[in-house]
């Protein structure tokens, strides 16, 4: 049985942390509020009467560029490994079902919006395939040491794998090799 590229890798894509259809991801899209900056040390939120001065406890504990990396070696991995480097550094895992990054010092709940998904393969001679996805993400809830973290940015996911072989020039729908790597780069503020 010949398998179309989209049908062959649907199982692998559905199991990926940041993967999904554009229609499914529209439900979790969260708008990012506009922020304008003024004098050093002040930030005005669009629509307010004047600048809001952030002092003392209002400052987040972390700020700057942050890179999240999620690696999964199985299509149905419920808790792929996750690392964070930049404004803060941590190692933990990603709870796929709740879309929550779990680190020893706290948790970050992440919403994402898929902008583009590209399918390549499977190549019938090798049964290898590749899926690439790009989109945006937003930290919608944070707890523990990261309670004041607010972050948004872009993500890129690449899935590579190989399907089982039925006969020469024919691939099955069974995934025999799989690797998914997601990079999410944003600004913590």
């Amino acid at each position: 049985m010949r398998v179309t590229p989209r049908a062959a890798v649907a199982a692998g894509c559905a199991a990926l942390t940041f993967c999904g259809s554009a229609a499914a991801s529209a439900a979790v899209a969260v708008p990012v509020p506009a922020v304008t900056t003024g004098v050093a040390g002040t930030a005005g939120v669009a629509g307010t009467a004047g600048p809001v001065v952030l002092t003392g406890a209002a400052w987040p504990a972390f700020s700057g560029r942050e890179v999240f990396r999620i690696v999964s070696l199985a299509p149905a991995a419920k808790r792929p490994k996750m690392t964070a480097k930049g404004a803060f550094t941590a190692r933990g895992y990603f709870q796929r079902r709740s879309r929550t990054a779990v680190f020893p010092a706290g948790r970050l709940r992440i919403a994402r919006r898929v902008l583009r998904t590209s399918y390549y393969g499977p190549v019938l001679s090798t049964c290898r395939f590749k899926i690439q996805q790009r989109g945006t993400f937003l930290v919608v809830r944070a707890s523990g040491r990261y309670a004041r973290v607010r972050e948004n940015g872009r993500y890129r996911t690449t899935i590579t794998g190989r399907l089982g072989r039925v006969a020469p020039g024919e691939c099955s729908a069974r995934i025999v090799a799989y690797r998914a790597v997601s990079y999410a780069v944003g600004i913590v503020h």
Side-chain angles (χ1 to χ4, degrees):
M1 171 176 123
R2 290 196 185 262
V3 180
T4 64
R6 201 172 285 252
V9 295
C13 186
L16 182 65
T17 303
F18 281 100
C19 198
S21 68
S25 66
V28 295
V30 180
V32 178
V35 175
T36 58
T37 56
V39 186
T42 65
V45 177
T48 61
V52 178
V53 178
L54 299 176
T55 60
W59 282 105
F62 308 99
S63 64
R65 183 174 188 260
E66 186 70 34
V67 178
F68 295 111
R69 180 176 183 245
I70 303 170
V71 178
S72 178
L73 300 177
K78 293 180 182 178
R79 294 181 174 182
K81 293 180 181 180
M82 182 171 189
T83 58
K85 290 185 180 180
F88 63 91
T89 301
R91 288 179 186 238
Y93 62 90
F94 192 83
Q95 286 181 335
R96 206 172 66 80
R97 187 173 192 158
S98 64
R99 298 198 180 280
T100 303
V102 179
F103 299 116
R107 297 172 180 239
L108 302 170
R109 182 130 189 236
I110 298 172
R112 55 95 178 113
R113 182 175 181 196
V114 179
L115 298 177
R116 182 179 178 175
T117 303
S118 303
Y119 300 89
Y120 305 95
V123 177
L124 296 179
S125 62
T126 62
C127 294
R128 294 190 182 277
F129 66 88
K130 183 176 183 180
I131 304 171
Q132 291 182 320
Q133 188 175 80
R134 294 178 186 272
T136 59
F137 77 95
L138 174 69
V139 173
V140 294
R141 189 176 312 142
S143 65
R145 185 173 176 212
Y146 312 114
R148 295 186 191 146
V149 168
R150 300 294 175 258
E151 181 175 3
N152 58 18
R154 296 189 174 273
Y155 76 87
R156 177 186 79 233
T157 299
T158 302
I159 303 172
T160 55
R162 187 171 47 87
L163 301 173
R165 184 181 303 271
V166 177
E170 291 187 28
C171 302
S172 72
R174 186 174 57 94
I175 298 173
V176 295
Y178 180 90
R179 180 177 168 90
V181 180
S182 294
Y183 287 97
V185 179
I187 302 297
V188 175
H189 47 265

